[in-house]
DNA sequence: AGGAGTTTGTGAACGCGGGAACAAAATGGA
DNA sequence: TCCATTTTGTTCCCGCGTTCACAAACTCCT
């Protein structure tokens, strides 16, 4: 049915590569915006902050879209990557939990420009339901099923407090959502076939703190005194 | 072999392990909050959403803090991990770019409870400077140096538009910040010795979209009935 | 046309991380 | 005291991902 390429059989793209494709896409868009029509793997790798060999290998999983001795056509490669990722059309997305973070997400213009469309904002708090955020009226959480069916939503965003995250995820899964982006600092368990990705500010900061501490101790050589082996 | 105390140098913790320690810490806090004093690696692994063998190996990099046949003392292990990460005291943090996202970050209570303290909010827009956000007055970006020196800040958060990210990062690095958490969808280059971690909503969504697309296309390529369930 | 220069695509080597499996250590009961 | 049970800490193995290095392919200049 879809653009089923005749040449490719069982093309499996490594997960690490998949995670970098959006970065390449962003870099290509930046290049295109500055009027550049063609670039080498070296150019693009620099813009994307990776090694050029890695970039070439990553792109090789998609196909041979470059020209030896020349490089890559920026627009063409950008389209190919967008197609591979699946963002040539917009994906409908629902956001659950319209608190501090939910407001910021609702107002985020980057959704639209990167292949996503927020079709609904949902919250369980009657005090928030009915408010207009970013031009969209917040609807009760119980409308989730109706909305998901109506817009054929496959991707849900959780921006509720941690205690509610698992419940919200369960409801999403029950209704047919198969991809979840979780901002709550909680591990959410989902059945096979459902993807969950997490964005956790505190974890990122703590990783930075760890390295920061090591930098400090490297000069200092004075780790905290340990209570000793009991 | 013998669990020499923590003052031993040469203890190199794999990056993948470092990234999971905060998750263990969170899980341990949750266990402690529900009154559990002791747990097995299996219990903790379940709470953290990982394999128990991996958990044990991760913890073994820190030392031998468990008791065979018994498990781990929740509070003790929690302290050890917190100490290893470096969050037994608070790290001062500055946030640059107090727009939609910056507001949400400023209002985020999770900073304080997880080892971080927001010492300043900065913005370049005179219309935003002087406003009070989360009880803190937004200061001009040019005050960065003064603030960093005064509070000995090592960690900076970038929540500006993408075009400003590199400039802000450069200023931060010049002033002595050595760890950056970047929310802007841009690759920021920094000198050796400075750590940058990125949080990118669009990338996460695009990764989900890729897999979502594969699930949809899988109908014509998938081998019979394994299809996602099971 | 042919050679020099460029740049891609990929084969191969290597190191890191994940997971199974097991020996070592601690508890508790007979 | 001694043995069965539990659970940790560690070893071994395998697969994935990164990087190097180079042949193939293309352009451009003479
Ligand atoms: N604010 C930040 O910058 C930030 C940063 C990182 C992580 N987080 C995490 O993101 C989540 C949201 O943070 P926040 O600051 O926006 O919190 P918040 O309390 O301001 O907002 C949470 C919203 O979720 C709604 N909610 C609660 N239970 C719900 C349920 N069962 N179904 C639907 N909606 C429900 C609440 O009514 C509220 O509007 C939290 O888990 C927080 O830890 C926030
Ligand atoms: N809003 C979201 O939910 C969201 C989600 C993901 C990523 N992001 C990214 O986070 C960043 C901020 O998003 P936002 O929605 O808050 O944008 P915003 O435009 O609302 O806020 C940006 C703020 O940065 C300030 N600023 C601009 N240049 C500056 C400079 N050189 N120095 C200091 N401050 C400067 C502006 O005055 C403004 O207050 C953007 O890069 C955006 O792509 C936002």
């Amino acid at each position: 049915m879809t653009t089923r390429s005749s040449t490719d059989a069982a093309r499996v793209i490594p997960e690490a590569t998949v995670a970098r494709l959006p970065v390449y896409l962003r870099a290509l868009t930046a290049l295109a915006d500055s009027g550049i029509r063609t670039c080498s793997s070296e150019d693009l790798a620099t813009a994307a902050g990776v090694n050029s060999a890695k970039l070439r290998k990553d792109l090789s999983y998609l196909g041979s879209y470059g020209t030896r001795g020349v490089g890559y056509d920026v627009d063409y490669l950008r389209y190919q990557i967008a197609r591979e990722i699946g963002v040539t059309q917009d994906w409908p997305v629902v956001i659950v939990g319209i608190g501090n973070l939910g407001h910021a997400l609702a107002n985020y213009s980057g959704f639209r420009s990167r292949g996503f469309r927020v079709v609904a904002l949902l919250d369980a708090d009657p005090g928030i339901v009915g408010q207009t955020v970013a031009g969209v009226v917040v609807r009760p959480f119980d409308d989730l099923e109706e909305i998901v069916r109506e817009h054929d939503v496959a991707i849900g965003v959780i921006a509720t407090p941690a205690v509610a995250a698992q419940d919200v995820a369960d409801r999403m899964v029950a209704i047919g959502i198969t991809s979840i982006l979780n901002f709550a600092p909680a591990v959410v368990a989902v059945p096979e076939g459902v993807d969950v990705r997490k964005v956790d500010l505190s974890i990122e900061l703590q990783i930075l703190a760890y390295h920061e501490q090591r930098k400090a101790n490297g000069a200092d050589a004075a780790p905290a005194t340990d209570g000793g082996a009991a």
Side-chain angles (χ1 to χ4, degrees), chain A residues 135-217:
Chain A
V136 178
V137 177
V138 178
R139 298 180 59 175
F141 181 56
D142 287 336
D143 286 3
L144 180 64
E145 180 158 15
E146 182 189 334
I147 293 163
V148 167
R149 291 198 195 288
E150 184 184 348
H151 295 92
D152 201 21
V153 179
I155 302 176
V157 176
I158 298 178
T160 67
V163 287
Q166 184 64 60
D167 282 344
V168 171
D170 289 345
R171 286 286 296 272
M172 285 180 169
V173 170
I175 286 170
I177 282 181
T178 46
S179 288
I180 294 175
L181 181 55
N182 177 35
F183 283 89
V187 175
V188 304
V190 295
E192 188 97 0
V194 177
D195 287 321
V196 176
R197 296 193 66 88
K198 67 168 194 289
V199 171
D200 195 315
L201 166 63
S202 299
I203 289 181
E204 300 302 324
L205 283 176
Q206 288 181 350
I207 294 170
L208 287 175
Y210 170 81
H211 292 295
E212 202 57 51
Q213 192 186 35
R214 292 210 111 217
K215 290 177 200 167
N217 286 350

Side-chain angles (χ1 to χ4, degrees), chain A residues 2-13:
Chain A
T2 47
T3 59
R4 176 184 183 164
S5 205
S6 47
T7 53
D8 45 324
R11 243 184 3 183
V12 173
I13 300 185

Side-chain angles (χ1 to χ4, degrees), chain A residues 36-57:
Chain A
I36 295 171
R37 311 287 298 266
T38 299
C39 69
S40 68
S41 64
E42 195 62 44
D43 296 336
L44 184 53
T46 301
V50 301
N51 177 302
S52 70
K54 182 163 22 180
L55 171 75
R56 287 199 300 277
K57 176 150 284 195

